[in-house]
Amino acid sequence: MTVSPGRRLVAVTACVSGVAHTYMAAERLEKLCQQEKWSIKIETQGALGIENALTLEDVHRADAVLLITDIELSGAERFINCRYVQSGISAFLREPQKVMSAVRKLLCAPQDTHIILG
């Protein structure tokens, strides 16, 4: 399956302590999306609160959403009608390609498709 470059993704990363893993996951996502030639905007929900907040327009314009989190997200209702992949932060950091593979599948799926990974 081929997915055209130029896809637009948004993501939220959040971990229990709101420190290291939140930002490590965001950095890893940025690098992976650069390799795929996808644009991404990442909201972090960490110890400093919500940074780089996603607007409703960002969410609506996105081809897919990544929810990389170990906690209840603030504003999770924004993503109910979106295609999204949800993964725990530790699982993502251990096996980022599993998440990226799910994103590739998701890009060809109906709008309300949700893929939940471990």
Side-chain angles (χ1 to χ4, degrees):
M1 167 183 12
T2 60
V3 176
S4 63
R7 294 296 191 153
R8 183 175 314 185
L9 279 61
V10 294
V12 180
T13 62
C15 69
V16 175
S17 66
V19 189
H21 288 108
T22 297
Y23 301 100
M24 286 170 53
E27 284 180 31
R28 178 79 54 92
L29 272 175
E30 283 181 353
K31 287 179 183 168
L32 290 166
C33 287
Q34 281 177 351
Q35 291 171 0
E36 297 285 345
K37 297 186 178 22
W38 296 341
S39 68
I40 188 164
K41 180 176 179 181
I42 304 169
E43 173 180 302
T44 55
Q45 295 187 13
L48 301 174
I50 294 175
E51 297 176 277
N52 201 33
L54 298 174
T55 66
L56 285 177
E57 183 179 343
D58 293 330
V59 174
H60 290 298
R61 292 179 63 203
D63 295 305
V65 176
L66 288 92
L67 304 174
I68 310 296
T69 178
D70 290 334
I71 62 171
E72 187 76 27
L73 288 178
S74 175
E77 67 280 354
R78 297 175 285 176
F79 310 112
I80 290 172
N81 295 317
C82 299
R83 291 184 196 104
Y84 69 73
V85 173
Q86 184 172 349
S87 172
I89 283 196
S90 297
F92 169 70
L93 291 173
R94 275 194 313 274
E95 296 184 89
Q97 289 308 326
K98 189 174 182 181
V99 172
M100 299 311 281
S101 176
V103 171
R104 282 185 211 94
K105 290 179 188 167
L106 188 69
L107 290 169
C108 301
Q111 184 60 30
D112 291 354
T113 303
H114 303 158
I115 299 175
I116 313 291
L117 303 173

